[in-house]
Amino acid sequence: MTAATVDLTELQRDAFTELVNIGVSKAAASLRKMIGVQVLLSVPAVEIVSRAQAARMIGEREASELVVIQQDFTGAFAGRALLIFPQENGRELVRAVAGEELSADEVAELEDEALTETGNVILNGCLATMANLLQRTLTMSLPEVMRGDGPRIFRPVGEEGTDSLVLFLYINFAVRERDIRGYIAMLMDLPSLESLKVLIDEFVERAIGETES
């Protein structure tokens, strides 16, 4: 089973990218409230790839160890959402969130807590907004922090199928004049992706109807 089995049309891809951009904008607004400074997030590209391709793509872009905040989501479509940073970018984000004056030891001590909170705000904000725009609801699990390289992050766990696919989103953060790059990945099986495609088509039809009326 390959990523090509759920290829998005250009219209579906544009609509989904728009949904994600609205989602991360809402998440950025929530993060801004939390830390009191301007936060800019952008999602220039969305791709559907296999787990192996996702691991390879992130391995080609990032040489250092990765830090990941992950949450499972269930509802009209289900899967696992990952917010991924190179380790150093994760620490930069902790400094941006928790304060510039922290020592290296204090950053290390606060890192997991700050990342969990930040990941929760971003992933919850993004997915809840997308679900709302698709006129559905999602239930999110509590966030967990994990570290490792691409193959470890995208390795199937327990009963997950190795044939599940990854919606892979590259995101740029700008927080307190820092450029922090990261990724959002949504691991979903084929039925969930097909459900999502149907919801995206309905979203497009509603948008076209509103434009014409």
Side-chain angles (χ1 to χ4, degrees), residues 13 18 34 36 67 83 115:
R13 190 180 297 274
E18 178 65 15
M34 185 173 99
V67 58
L83 180 62
L115 286 171

Side-chain angles (χ1 to χ4, degrees), residues 29-59:
S30 300
L31 199 54
R32 183 169 65 240
K33 278 184 194 161
M34 185 173 99
I35 64 178
V37 295
Q38 182 73 21
V39 179
L40 300 172
L41 298 181
S42 65
V43 179
V46 175
E47 297 177 67
I48 297 182
V49 294
S50 68
R51 283 176 183 260
Q53 285 171 308
R56 192 165 61 246
M57 280 165 62
I58 209 160

Side-chain angles (χ1 to χ4, degrees), residues 3-204:
T5 50
V6 283
D7 219 9
L8 298 176
T9 65
E10 195 172 336
L11 187 59
Q12 287 170 332
R13 190 180 297 274
D14 288 348
F16 187 70
T17 305
E18 178 65 15
L19 284 169
V20 173
N21 268 309
I22 296 169
V24 295
S25 296
K26 281 278 172 67
S30 300
L31 199 54
R32 183 169 65 240
K33 278 184 194 161
M34 185 173 99
I35 64 178
V37 295
Q38 182 73 21
V39 179
L40 300 172
L41 298 181
S42 65
V43 179
V46 175
E47 297 177 67
I48 297 182
V49 294
S50 68
R51 283 176 183 260
Q53 285 171 308
R56 192 165 61 246
M57 280 165 62
I58 209 160
E60 287 167 358
R61 286 173 165 167
E62 308 297 344
S64 66
E65 175 145 310
L66 303 166
V67 58
V68 181
I69 304 95
Q70 63 180 31
Q71 288 181 273
D72 292 338
F73 56 92
T74 54
F77 51 98
R80 172 170 296 155
L82 310 174
L83 180 62
I84 306 166
F85 300 104
Q87 181 74 49
E88 199 43 55
N89 271 235
R91 293 205 176 112
E92 284 282 293
L93 187 62
V94 172
R95 283 190 184 279
V97 170
E100 303 289 332
E101 62 290 340
L102 295 177
S103 69
D105 285 348
E106 287 170 323
V107 168
E109 198 176 307
L110 285 170
E111 189 172 353
D112 279 14
E113 187 183 336
L115 286 171
T116 300
E117 198 171 345
T118 306
N120 191 38
V121 167
I122 292 172
L123 293 174
N124 242 318
C126 185
L127 282 160
T129 301
M130 286 168 56
N132 192 36
L133 289 164
L134 295 170
Q135 300 185 351
R136 296 293 188 276
T137 56
L138 292 177
T139 303
M140 303 281 289
S141 70
L142 292 172
E144 296 173 24
V145 175
M146 176 174 81
R147 288 173 176 78
D149 58 8
R152 175 163 187 255
I153 289 164
F154 292 109
R155 186 176 62 214
V157 178
E159 297 183 14
E160 287 179 357
T162 53
D163 56 359
S164 60
L165 299 168
V166 183
L167 274 165
F168 197 74
L169 322 170
Y170 183 85
I171 53 175
N172 291 316
F173 288 66
V175 187
R176 293 187 199 266
E177 284 70 61
R178 297 170 188 267
D179 286 323
I180 300 171
R181 70 182 180 278
Y183 310 85
I184 292 177
M186 292 162 63
L187 277 57
M188 299 170 72
D189 62 15
L190 203 57
S192 268
L193 273 167
E194 291 295 351
S195 298
L196 181 57
K197 275 179 71 173
V198 170
L199 293 173
I200 290 170
D201 285 340
E202 290 173 2
F203 170 75
V204 170

